[in-house]
Amino acid sequence: MKILIINGPNLNFLGIREKNIYGTQDYDYLLQMIAKKGEETGCTIEVFQSNHEGAIIDRIQDAYFDGTEGIVINPGAYTHYSYAIHDALASVTMPKVEIHISDITNREEFRKVSVTAPACDKQIYGHGLPGYLEAVDFLLERQGK
């Protein structure tokens, strides 16, 4: 199975920013964890990170044409206001999972609402970095693999 993991703004600063919320593991640790999951499951997993909304939208649209069979997305702050990313997610047909490291329901009021989640098949939040692995498992189960 070919899975695309998209990380939005500031995710590349894991282990640097707000360690009390996002933990002390850095972005390279997350990449290694995901690569290991790909090896264990036989999946091809590509990870894409951008701080730019348009680049994220372009990558979602490219996934429609490149054989991607599932998307995991952590839109970061775009979660709460990017209807453009919502529309891009809604326009592609493969299963999609929105992931958040922290529990967005127990944070500031503006973080409690996701405008992108309705375009996804599942939302996982508050499980830390292992939430990414849960999202991959969901996609594999969804594809019967």
Side-chain angles (χ1 to χ4, degrees):
M1 180 172 191
K2 183 176 180 181
I3 296 174
L4 171 64
I5 296 179
I6 299 173
N7 285 309
N10 299 312
L11 271 296
N12 57 314
F13 259 47
L14 285 175
I16 298 170
R17 68 183 281 242
E18 299 175 280
K19 294 177 187 179
N20 59 320
I21 296 173
Y22 301 107
T24 58
Q25 300 295 340
D26 65 12
Y27 194 67
D28 284 337
Y29 178 86
L30 174 62
L31 295 177
Q32 291 170 17
M33 190 177 77
I34 291 168
K36 182 178 178 186
K37 182 70 168 181
E39 291 171 14
E40 292 171 355
T41 60
C43 291
T44 300
I45 302 178
E46 175 192 343
V47 182
F48 173 83
Q49 190 277 326
S50 180
N51 294 318
H52 305 282
E53 185 178 33
I56 292 168
I57 292 165
D58 288 343
R59 189 61 193 93
I60 292 167
Q61 291 177 354
D62 289 345
Y64 180 80
F65 298 105
D66 72 8
T68 297
E69 299 171 87
I71 294 176
V72 175
I73 184 167
N74 184 338
Y78 290 132
T79 301
H80 316 292
Y81 65 90
S82 181
Y83 291 100
I85 290 175
H86 167 278
D87 291 350
L89 289 166
S91 71
V92 296
T93 55
M94 71 283 291
K96 299 161 291 280
V97 180
E98 181 178 285
I99 174 76
H100 297 282
I101 296 165
S102 68
D103 182 350
I104 60 173
T105 66
N106 284 325
R107 302 221 19 224
E108 303 94 333
E109 284 302 311
F110 78 92
R111 293 189 196 273
K112 295 179 181 182
V113 175
S114 171
V115 301
T116 50
C120 295
D121 300 281
K122 183 176 181 73
Q123 185 187 52
I124 298 170
Y125 54 85
H127 297 184
L129 299 182
Y132 283 87
L133 307 182
E134 292 176 42
V136 170
D137 287 338
F138 172 82
L139 293 174
L140 288 169
E141 290 170 16
R142 187 79 184 260
Q143 295 287 25
K145 298 184 180 192

